[in-house]
Amino acid sequence: MRTTRSTHSPPRSVAIVGAGMTGLATAWFLQERDVAVTVIDRDGIAAGASWGNAGWLTPGLAAPLPDPAVLRYGIRAVLDPSSPVYLPLPIGPRLLQFLTKFACNSTAARWRRSMAALVPINNRALSAFDHLAEGGVNAHTQSANPFLAAFRAESERTHLVKELNHVRAAGLDVHFDLLNREEVHAMEPLLGDEVGAAIRLRDQRFINPGAFAAELAAAVERRGGTFQLGTEVAAVENTQNAAVTRTDTNDTEAFDAVVLANGAWLDRLAQPHGVRMPVQAGRGYSFSVPTHHLPSGPLYFPNQRVACTPLGDKLRIAGMMEFRSPDAPLDPRRITAIVNSVRPLLNVGDPADRVEDWVGSRPCTHDGLPLIGRTRSPRVYVTGGHGMWGITLGPATGELLADLITTGEAPSELAAFDPLR
């Protein structure tokens, strides 16, 4: 089912604020529909959450972040810098309000309802990457063969097995196998002796996210797209056109429409257009370990919230969830926590001999669902709040949003993601 506006006139020019995966994908799919695009970013291509993450294309795992398991972390745990989920003090009123609503959504019933809302877009995730490749984006996805979620004991994987079964029941065609100690070590010898069980998730993929975003940006530019990098947007005004005002020069440029895709900084530009749901930075950390011995595919340690991805001659190790200001500096204690958690689980170099320490701010909503669609203004659109799944769902989001912008009809896959909810 689609909703439509009978008086809709397709835009000829659209500005996209944000050069991460969702913003770039929206630009590319708008070009497929003969729309001229200008991409504006205060830093550069994939400078936010897109560059240093694990690069997984895993619709089988793309589930709502508010989860009953999150509530199992005690207050003492979340205040510990070594905890997989960390809340640095002091906790301000805005964050406290977000966390209260997040906790209210961390029930089994609400998780299942949100998961059902994600299934339609999850089902489009991988095919959207294929559309990019078929359209000339010279960066291909890699098969995650195998993709292993590893645990110390078989009893530890119960929660993820239950979650995958719920995902399957919600309508996503997800396939997985349960592996014992002997099977998992035969499949991946680089796993440490403490690993005693695993889940093999089938039919998933991965990319080098920074390289992929750079090539996607190059494809947009080859087709006539314009980039204004190092340019911060002060405001977006709804006049006869959609007017973008820059911070540095105070200049204003008019477009037929504007897409706000600026990640964890979305609130400032979106709230004046009726978007009341806050977007909170859920910061993730990563580093890379140069090594001649790489795992055969991505590795996931769910209990430690650590993801490992072989990229070239390095292993990227990423993880953690830190609710903090998106502009706060990197906290080296969080990198140390990842190093300590993964050292006994993985025999691949020394995690202390690392390069490319990185922190990026994932844009999170308290109900675990993204914001994709029109704002109160008919010329201003939003795409954001994907949490940990902006890479996985970015191209599908861009394809659906480009459809909405150019036709005026909201695809049914976007029904639960209304930015004005």
Side-chain angles (χ1 to χ4, degrees), residues 3 55 72 78 116 151 161 251 287 304 307 317 329 332 336 413 418:
T3 59
R72 298 190 188 117
V78 299
F151 304 85
V161 170
D251 291 341
F287 57 87
Q304 291 73 28
I317 301 177
T336 300
E413 292 93 335
D418 185 354

Side-chain angles (χ1 to χ4, degrees), residues 148-157 177-185 191-200 300-302:
L148 297 175
F151 304 85
R152 283 187 166 91
E154 293 182 10
S155 59
E156 289 186 356
R157 68 187 177 195
D177 309 309
L178 302 182
L179 306 179
N180 61 28
R181 173 183 289 276
E182 291 72 23
E183 291 168 331
V184 68
H185 282 278
L191 287 168
D193 290 340
E194 291 194 18
V195 173
I199 299 171
R200 178 184 182 180
Y300 179 31
F301 301 104

